[in-house]
Each structure stands twice: as structure tokens, then as C-alpha cells.
Amino acid sequence: EACPECGGELTKPDARQLRRVNEFLAHPNPTFSMKDILKRNGEDLLTFDDFYVTASSNPSPDASTLEVWPEDARYMRIYADAKGRLGGDTFCPVEEDQKKPNTQTQLYPKDAYPPGTSCPKDDGGALQSVAYGQVSGSDLVAAFSADDVLHDNLFGTGSRLYGTPKIWALQTQITAMALIDTYQKDSFEKAKTPKNIILYKGVKDDELKRLMKQYEEAKKINPMSDMHVAIPFQPGGGQGAVGIEVVRGIDTPLIEGSLAFQKFYFESICYTFGVDPASVGVETSGKLGSSTSEAVDRGVSQEAIQELQIQLSEAWDRFLKKHFPEIKDWRFTLETAYEEE
């Protein structure tokens, strides 16, 4: 069969290229499975917009000598210049392997101790430029070169090399929702406008005094209690001079508008993460209750999942081909989130 682009003969991909990488994917490290690591990467992308995986060589004689470990994005730092080029001062990998865990890493000025030169303690190692570091407080406790770390993000742009997580982007919306809740609470607790005004027409003087006293006592307990107004009987008042009339209280425009804005912000938070508002009870799934029933069952849109899957697939494809250069005919991808009809 001929290639539709170049006209050359098509050949099947070489399955032997996958021998070492399949062994690695089956046992990426002694503790976690590859599924565990990918799940952690996805959670870090959502929470921090960045995920970090460190790689180390295992000296065992097995075919696969690579181990990878997911790192906590909260404590990882990037070392780069203003143009985003990775690399800062230098460190000795031999010293790094021999020092006790959580002790400070010794860095050397890159001008006096450039990368590739022998370690100052003559322990047989060569200095490397630190590209990523793990911190404890203000101390650097682990240093990594650019080749030792798989790092990627969703929304990183320019030379910063790190992204802005969706959770940070929602901070304003969440703050607005909290302020609306506070306003509504204060409005109902502190407002002096009565909920309803009840007019008693044609009452006698003694009854008038009793009703007004009852209203004053009720107002001490609840400033927004119904307001009772007694109107004495007026001879010749005509029709409507005797009876009870209720004037319904109306919420202020601010209170009415705040409810709509609160719903708007809640839905905005849901849609940012691809969550259907109906799945969390914000709105119904449709007029007949079935128009989006499948989306409600899933809760999260396939597009939101696909976004993470594509990013993880591309990052891990580059990483695997870097550490397993024999892979030429294959590409690492995750199963699509879209379901077949």
C-alpha cells in the first residue's frame, strides 16, 4: 500500500521498539502504577496548572532502568533566566545522592564553577546546572537538572515556564459569591423595612392601643416583622372604611438582583471546570427533565477531560521518546474521553 502523501510504501510499525518502554510503563517505580502517576498529574494540572515528575536511573541490570516519581507542585521551584532558559547555579549530583534527606543542597556559583567541570570535592562527579528544585521553607533540599524532570502546564505562556491554575482564575468569582451571601444575610437581619404592612380599618380606641403595643413588642424581636397599622373608624368613610388590608412587602432591587448574580457566578465556576450545573443541583437538566440527562449523569463535560488528556499525552510522549530513543514509529496517547455512539 502506498503512502497518500509521499507515495512511498507503507510498512507496519516495529513492535520491538516498545519492549523497554512497555516494561517501564508496567512498573514505573516500586510504589505507584502508571495510572496513579497520570491521575496525580491531572489533579496537579487542575489545582496548580503545573505537574512535576522526577526521573532517576536504577542501577539494576534489568532492561528498564528508569524510575519516575510524582512531586508535590507546592514545593517545586523553577530556576531560569529572564528569557525562560532553564539553569541557574550548579550542584554536584554525587553530593546530592549522598546527603541526608531534607538537608540543604550545596549550590556553587555558575561563573566560578560552570556545568561540566569536576565537583569541588573531587568525588568523581561533574557539576550540573540546577533547573528545578524542591524547597522546605526557604531552603533548597533537592536539586534536579532539566533532564531529570518532566514538567508541563496548561496555560503557561511566555518565559515564565509556569501557568495560572483555574482555581486562581476563579478567586474573584468565589469572592463575589461570598460577598453576595454576606449582603443577603445582612439585608434580612438588619433591614428596618417590614416584610408586610397590615392595615386594620375601623377599630376602636382600646383595640388600637393593644395592636400598636403588640407591634412594638414584635419589632424588638424582629425588626422586619409584619407592621400592623390600626386605623380608627371614620363615619362616612364609605365602602372600604372597615376591614383588613394587607400590603405585601417587596424585596429591594439589590436583593432581587443579587440572587441572579449569585446563580451566574455559581454557573461560571461550574463551566470553568466543565461541570454541568444540573449535576450539582443549580438548575434542572431541561424543561422535560431529559434533554441533558446524559450530561448530568457524567457530571463533567468530555471537553474538559479531553483537554487534560491531550496535554498529558503530549508531555509524556516527549518524555518517553527522550529516554527511549529507539521509539520511532509510535506515539504515546491516552484513550479519548469521547464515547462512541
Side-chain angles (χ1 to χ4, degrees), residues 10 15 21 23 36 175 202 214 221 279 285 295 306 311 316 341:
L10 293 176
V21 71
E23 293 179 3
D36 295 332
T175 302
Q214 289 177 350
I221 300 175
S279 66
S285 58
Q306 190 75 0
Q311 195 68 28
W316 276 98
E341 298 294 337

Side-chain angles (χ1 to χ4, degrees), residues 20-21 23-24 27-28 55-68 323-324:
R20 287 203 312 142
V21 71
E23 293 179 3
F24 162 74
H27 303 284
S56 61
S57 297
N58 186 351
S60 66
D62 297 338
S64 177
T65 61
L66 183 68
E67 286 186 3
V68 293
H323 289 273
F324 300 94

